[in-house]
Amino acid sequence: MDAGLGLALKTRGFHVSGRETLGDFAKLSLPHQALAISQDLQADFWDNDALVVANSYGAYLFLFAQALMPPLLGKVLLLSPVIGDVSQSSVGKVGFAPSYADRLMALARLRELVVPEHCEIHVGANDWQCPAERLSEFGRLTGVPVTIVPDAGHMLSYGYVSALLDQWLT
């Protein structure tokens, strides 16, 4: 939490807490990780002023946790969220498939995925891990606004994220 996004939030005067996908937490199955996160959110962040920022696989975990509880009351910002499996052999990358890779899109297509009322997604137009087309579909299905950042990949630039946080946190 002392680098990257966590540091950017701390320098703006925000207390940062969350789970890192390391150690004992990483050894848990996805359902148990999601349960732990949902319990954390309900115990410590269950009010209208809560701000949740999740990036990449952390956003994947957040969405699974959100599915286990009523919609979070506060605001949620998802940056380059993983929402399923990908393969991109055309650019020389290896694919990956997180646990339960098809579950989030399946729930979204069935209109059964719980999402917070105040949630938004930002993803790079060239993000091979989080294809913009799939996230656009996800946004249409769930009602979550999706911003596709031109000329950006999985790691959104410091300048973009910094400006976004300055706007989003007010």
Side-chain angles (χ1 to χ4, degrees):
M1 301 289 173
D2 291 322
L5 185 56
L7 181 60
L9 291 166
K10 283 182 175 182
T11 60
R12 287 166 172 76
F14 288 87
H15 169 75
V16 177
S17 68
R19 295 208 178 240
E20 293 183 297
T21 53
L22 304 169
D24 291 337
F25 183 77
K27 295 175 187 171
L28 297 173
S29 66
L30 179 72
H32 287 99
Q33 289 175 337
L35 179 61
I37 291 168
S38 71
Q39 290 170 341
D40 292 348
L41 290 167
Q42 291 177 85
D44 299 325
F45 299 97
W46 205 256
D47 64 63
N48 291 327
D49 296 327
L51 300 172
V52 174
V53 181
N55 186 51
S56 190
Y57 187 72
Y60 188 72
L61 291 173
F62 169 81
L63 289 167
F64 272 95
Q66 177 59 89
L68 299 175
M69 59 188 186
L72 191 79
L73 301 174
K75 289 174 45 176
V76 177
L77 177 61
L78 304 177
L79 303 173
S80 303
V82 170
I83 59 166
D85 63 336
V86 290
S87 63
Q88 192 65 278
S89 59
S90 63
V91 293
K93 305 269 192 228
V94 292
F96 72 97
S99 300
Y100 301 90
D102 297 330
R103 179 74 58 114
L104 292 176
M105 283 302 288
L107 290 172
R109 287 182 179 118
L110 293 170
R111 309 272 193 226
E112 294 179 3
L113 184 64
V114 176
V115 294
E117 182 178 340
H118 304 287
C119 182
E120 62 186 86
I121 293 173
H122 294 256
V123 62
N126 304 319
D127 187 339
W128 76 272
Q129 295 177 57
C130 311
E133 322 73 61
R134 187 182 307 163
L135 283 166
S136 292
E137 178 188 3
F138 183 81
R140 283 191 303 277
L141 293 169
T142 60
V144 174
V146 175
T147 299
I148 298 173
V149 183
D151 301 318
H154 189 65
M155 296 297 292
L156 298 174
S157 74
Y158 173 82
Y160 181 84
V161 173
S162 183
L164 175 61
L165 288 175
D166 289 342
Q167 173 197 3
W168 190 78
L169 293 170
T170 57

